[in-house]
Amino acid sequence: MMTIDIDSELIVKPGDDTDTRRIVCKLISYLLQYPDTEWREGLQGVQEAVLSVSDEQVKQTVLTFIRDAQATDAILWQDAYVRSFDFDKKSNLYLTYIAHGDERDRGPALIELKRRYEAAGFYMEASELPDYLPMVLEFIAEAPEMDAIGVIHTCYKALVTMTESIAEQNSPYGPLLNLMLQVVPEPSVSDAPGPSEAQQKQAFGGLNEIVELMRRGSR
């Protein structure tokens, strides 16, 4: 999986919508990972990073989430995480599963995401699926603008479905996902062209690899 680090590159003051989107997606990509001991240790770095952001809504949403997480027993917070993301197709962290379930259409959708990553120079470990939301947000934060917009275009409907599902649960993760949708632009049809015929043929050539990962239960 692409490394999700909280480092000095995050200590910036967003000057436009693109900068705000990048830092918000970077921070949320970390906060949506499983809340184990290492995750808790990293919250201090997230807090330091977001304190430098000039957007007050971004700052307060993230700081409130961190304070709530730190004030809650670790086991109870893990339980809230599992209840939020593991029991409902619509709130699953694997975005193509939201759209397709385990249907055959999911394989080509995964291949298309992987193709977009590689076209932008991002490569994953072989054991990872490219639709895992923290990874998607990491890509949006780090990739060149047009590549990021292309992935947003591909995933936007699933992001909306997921955010609405989490909001209905009254999950502590709801405000983070609402913030995500506020900074991620709603795509138009012209934002990102679909894959060419040659790219589609190449994608289906790697479909067996994706299907094997899906069979291992990576969703």
Side-chain angles (χ1 to χ4, degrees):
M1 168 180 180
M2 292 180 289
T3 303
I4 300 177
D5 294 323
I6 302 300
D7 55 34
S8 59
E9 293 183 0
L10 287 173
I11 311 300
V12 297
K13 294 184 178 181
D16 58 31
D17 291 343
T18 299
D19 290 337
T20 300
R21 184 185 74 228
R22 288 184 182 278
I23 190 169
V24 169
C25 288
K26 182 79 171 181
L27 295 173
I28 295 178
S29 73
Y30 181 89
L31 294 174
L32 288 180
Q33 295 181 79
Y34 184 76
D36 56 15
T37 300
E38 183 178 356
W39 180 86
R40 284 186 168 271
E41 293 172 351
L43 291 179
Q44 183 62 37
V46 178
Q47 184 172 354
E48 292 173 1
V50 79
L51 284 174
S52 69
V53 176
S54 58
D55 188 305
E56 285 299 320
Q57 182 182 4
V58 170
K59 186 184 302 183
Q60 292 307 314
T61 299
V62 175
L63 289 178
T64 298
F65 177 87
I66 292 173
R67 283 195 296 266
D68 289 346
Q70 291 174 329
T72 303
D73 176 79
I75 300 299
L76 292 178
W77 193 266
Q78 289 173 355
D79 181 68
Y81 181 92
V82 170
R83 290 178 181 277
S84 296
F85 301 119
D86 286 4
F87 293 113
D88 189 338
K89 172 187 173 182
K90 292 182 178 180
S91 60
N92 194 281
L93 284 170
Y94 291 88
L95 298 179
T96 65
Y97 182 72
I98 294 174
H100 304 293
D102 283 326
E103 298 174 5
R104 289 185 61 186
D105 289 345
R106 189 183 176 204
L110 288 166
I111 287 289
E112 169 63 7
L113 265 181
K114 184 178 179 183
R115 180 193 68 79
R116 289 183 180 277
Y117 291 168
E118 292 178 351
F122 286 70
Y123 295 89
M124 309 176 306
E125 294 181 5
S127 60
E128 296 291 341
L129 288 173
D131 63 338
Y132 179 53
L133 181 54
M135 181 183 294
V136 172
L137 292 175
E138 171 76 358
F139 178 86
I140 292 170
E142 299 288 350
E145 179 68 3
M146 290 309 298
D147 295 302
I149 292 295
V151 167
I152 292 169
H153 178 95
T154 300
C155 298
Y156 189 80
K157 288 184 179 179
L159 294 175
V160 172
T161 297
M162 180 184 194
T163 300
E164 291 175 347
S165 177
I166 293 293
E168 291 174 358
Q169 299 178 31
N170 197 28
S171 165
Y173 286 87
L176 286 184
L177 295 175
N178 283 326
L179 179 60
M180 172 193 69
L181 280 189
Q182 289 174 31
V183 301
V184 171
E186 182 175 1
S188 65
V189 174
S190 62
D191 278 338
S196 67
E197 182 177 351
Q199 288 168 333
Q200 288 177 326
K201 289 181 179 178
Q202 181 181 9
F204 278 96
L207 186 56
N208 288 340
E209 173 188 345
I210 292 294
V211 170
E212 179 60 27
L213 286 174
M214 291 165 63
R215 286 174 177 168
R216 294 175 192 170
S218 298
R219 69 166 176 80

